[in-house]
Amino acid sequence: MDIQTEQLLGTLEVLLDKELDLFLPCHENGAKLKPFVWDTNIQGAFTPLNLIQSEGWMTQTDIELAFSSWQWSEDTCLAAKGIFNDCSDYLDDRDDENIVLDNETKIDRIKKYQVLRNAIEVNIPCIQAFTLSCNSGYSLSIIVGQITEHEWICLSPTVPQETQCYINKTPSPNNDRIKGLITDPKVYNISRVGFAIETQIKTALKKLGSIQVYGWYHGGYNHLHDYKIVYTVGESFEQVVENALKIAGLIEIYDFDSFAIGEQIVAYSEDEAKEVEERFQHINVFLNQSFLQLKLYRFCFWDYENIYIIGESKSQDFVGISIKSQFVYNP
């Protein structure tokens, strides 16, 4: 590890030697701030996909299981299996929003999924499927295919967001200074062969459309989520996977300025609040003095947040803070 990277990491370890929590909305237990480092000499280039693979969140599966996982929400009208496991009678007695699909609709949508699957398997010779999961009951599967030598496609279900309110795009004294979502502006010009295949898949997805599913609902939460399959095309495996997961809502990237301190100290006594405020101030100063630019990478697995606030060192390593926390259902 480069000496400057070691120094940056060492300072963060001192700043976070005593446990410090970040309180996210509906994450009542708080999330511990942990030092984070990415050594490019050992781990390669820092990218969202490389981080996902490094964390062990992505495993290979097959197309049959991927389609089965996509259709699980069709059958249950639930966002994730974790809901069902914690509340086995979730929809036995009531469907408050009248969104559970009737048998006729389910049969029709099964046929539409088969049309989509045929469009993929018949037209794309090289297909891979992967499951992504973290520390909750939620997982999603993606399908990646190589259309031509330099053209790829990736399909993914949308990711339900139980705590989307954490990212507030209008800065205020009570919100972390997050400047805005970073998107990839590049427009990919696909070939005629690729366009024909893309058109078939796009048409199948349009006919499939979207449904609504329940997130955490009872107890005053009343969370509903739109659910559909999205896709993207591009010139490499890495590009299409990352962009599909951005469109799906699993990956979000923001410019980051500083932690808002006000809402982090409300749960403490006056003396404790003063100490916590000083510690956050020291962290904000360190991060802004050490890095020209800070990024916030958010990986949302339904009810589980994985947040990385990092900057690039002069040696092109990445150093910062990782925050991992699960939504607490407290009706």
Side-chain angles (χ1 to χ4, degrees), residues 47 49-50 53 144 152 235-244:
T47 67
L49 181 57
N50 283 346
Q53 293 172 329
V144 190
W152 293 73
E235 56 192 6
S236 69
F237 174 92
E238 292 78 9
Q239 184 187 69
V240 295
V241 171
E242 286 188 12
N243 286 343

Side-chain angles (χ1 to χ4, degrees), residues 73 75-79 83-84 87-101 212-215 217-218 224:
S73 287
D75 295 333
T76 63
C77 257
L78 297 177
I83 300 173
F84 185 80
C87 190
S88 59
D89 61 346
Y90 203 78
L91 295 175
D92 284 354
D93 300 323
R94 56 180 173 170
D95 171 20
D96 292 357
E97 302 290 341
N98 194 31
I99 61 172
V100 174
L101 305 180
Q212 284 192 307
V213 295
Y214 287 100
Y217 188 82
H218 299 139
L224 293 178

Side-chain angles (χ1 to χ4, degrees), residues 109-124:
R109 290 182 63 80
I110 289 171
K111 292 177 181 178
K112 290 176 179 177
Y113 269 104
Q114 189 58 53
V115 171
L116 173 62
R117 181 168 176 175
N118 289 341
I120 293 171
E121 294 184 322
V122 170
N123 292 293
I124 303 175

Side-chain angles (χ1 to χ4, degrees), residues 59-299:
T59 57
Q60 193 156 11
T61 185
D62 59 55
I63 191 169
E64 179 76 33
L65 291 176
F67 267 90
S68 293
S69 74
W70 290 358
Q71 292 176 272
W72 185 86
S73 287
E74 302 273 335
D75 295 333
T76 63
C77 257
L78 297 177
K81 292 182 179 180
I83 300 173
F84 185 80
N85 292 339
D86 290 329
C87 190
S88 59
D89 61 346
Y90 203 78
L91 295 175
D92 284 354
D93 300 323
R94 56 180 173 170
D95 171 20
D96 292 357
E97 302 290 341
N98 194 31
I99 61 172
V100 174
L101 305 180
D102 58 37
N103 288 334
E104 183 178 349
T105 302
K106 285 182 179 180
I107 291 171
D108 179 62
R109 290 182 63 80
I110 289 171
K111 292 177 181 178
K112 290 176 179 177
Y113 269 104
Q114 189 58 53
V115 171
L116 173 62
R117 181 168 176 175
N118 289 341
I120 293 171
E121 294 184 322
V122 170
N123 292 293
I124 303 175
C126 179
I127 306 171
Q128 300 176 76
F130 300 89
T131 295
L132 290 90
S133 62
C134 192
N135 293 338
S136 71
Y138 176 76
S139 66
L140 80 159
S141 294
I142 62 173
I143 292 175
V144 190
Q146 186 172 8
I147 301 173
T148 65
E149 184 179 359
H150 300 293
E151 294 175 322
W152 293 73
I153 189 168
C154 180
L155 296 92
S156 171
T158 51
V159 178
Q161 306 266 329
E162 291 294 339
T163 53
Q164 59 183 336
C165 53
Y166 168 61
I167 305 297
N168 189 318
K169 297 179 178 62
T170 304
S172 75
N174 293 320
N175 293 106
D176 294 344
R177 306 302 192 272
I178 298 169
K179 300 177 183 178
L181 181 65
I182 299 170
T183 57
D184 185 358
K186 182 177 179 180
V187 176
Y188 183 73
N189 296 317
I190 197 166
S191 70
R192 291 177 64 183
V193 172
F195 178 76
I197 297 171
E198 179 195 8
T199 299
Q200 288 191 47
I201 293 173
K202 183 177 181 180
T203 300
L205 289 176
K206 186 176 181 179
K207 290 181 178 179
L208 187 61
S210 65
I211 62 171
Q212 284 192 307
V213 295
Y214 287 100
W216 288 117
Y217 188 82
H218 299 139
Y221 286 85
N222 296 352
H223 289 180
L224 293 178
H225 306 282
D226 291 328
Y227 179 82
K228 63 180 179 178
I229 308 299
V230 298
Y231 83 98
T232 187
V233 294
E235 56 192 6
S236 69
F237 174 92
E238 292 78 9
Q239 184 187 69
V240 295
V241 171
E242 286 188 12
N243 286 343
L245 292 177
K246 288 177 185 176
I247 295 170
L250 189 139
I251 299 174
E252 294 178 349
I253 307 172
Y254 297 85
D255 285 321
F256 184 84
D257 183 30
S258 60
F259 289 104
I261 300 171
E263 66 180 19
Q264 299 303 325
I265 61 176
V266 294
Y268 294 96
S269 67
E270 184 175 346
D271 290 341
E272 291 174 327
K274 183 177 180 181
E275 178 188 355
V276 170
E277 181 176 5
E278 289 177 353
R279 294 186 67 194
F280 271 108
Q281 286 174 340
H282 288 315
I283 291 170
N284 284 336
V285 169
F286 167 75
L287 291 175
N288 283 282
Q289 288 182 346
S290 301
F291 304 104
L292 294 176
Q293 188 177 42
L294 290 166
K295 302 286 187 191
L296 184 151
Y297 292 82
R298 177 179 182 248
F299 300 83

